[in-house]
Amino acid sequence: MEFKDKIKIVRQKLMLSQADFAKELGVAFSTVNEWENGIRKPNYIMQRKFATYCNDNNIKFGEE
């Protein structure tokens, strides 16, 4: 599963808008939008932050 798919799944599971999800992660709305649309990929630090966020919210992915 690509990161863009994961980010969208997590956001939808938590019923958050892109803007609200961006606030949760401490990034701009446009950043979340670009991740979901596959325009950009997060750097390693943001990938770790996302993984921690998922863990804190009890969201697991098969390959993790």
Side-chain angles (χ1 to χ4, degrees):
M1 179 181 304
E2 291 185 47
F3 185 81
K4 68 180 187 169
D5 302 319
K6 289 182 181 182
I7 201 99
K8 190 170 189 173
I9 288 167
V10 170
R11 184 178 65 76
Q12 290 176 338
K13 276 187 178 185
L14 298 174
M15 296 185 293
L16 295 171
S17 67
Q18 286 184 340
D20 291 334
F21 192 56
K23 287 179 189 173
E24 292 279 318
L25 293 177
V27 298
F29 157 79
S30 59
T31 300
V32 170
N33 184 272
E34 290 172 351
W35 288 345
E36 280 193 19
N37 289 305
I39 296 168
R40 278 179 45 195
K41 290 185 179 179
N43 62 26
Y44 178 76
I45 294 169
M46 286 310 302
Q47 288 181 36
R48 296 287 299 156
K49 188 171 186 175
F50 176 72
T52 300
Y53 183 84
C54 290
N55 189 49
D56 291 347
N57 286 282
N58 297 314
I59 297 172
K60 307 283 185 228
F61 292 98
E63 70 264 11
E64 294 181 340

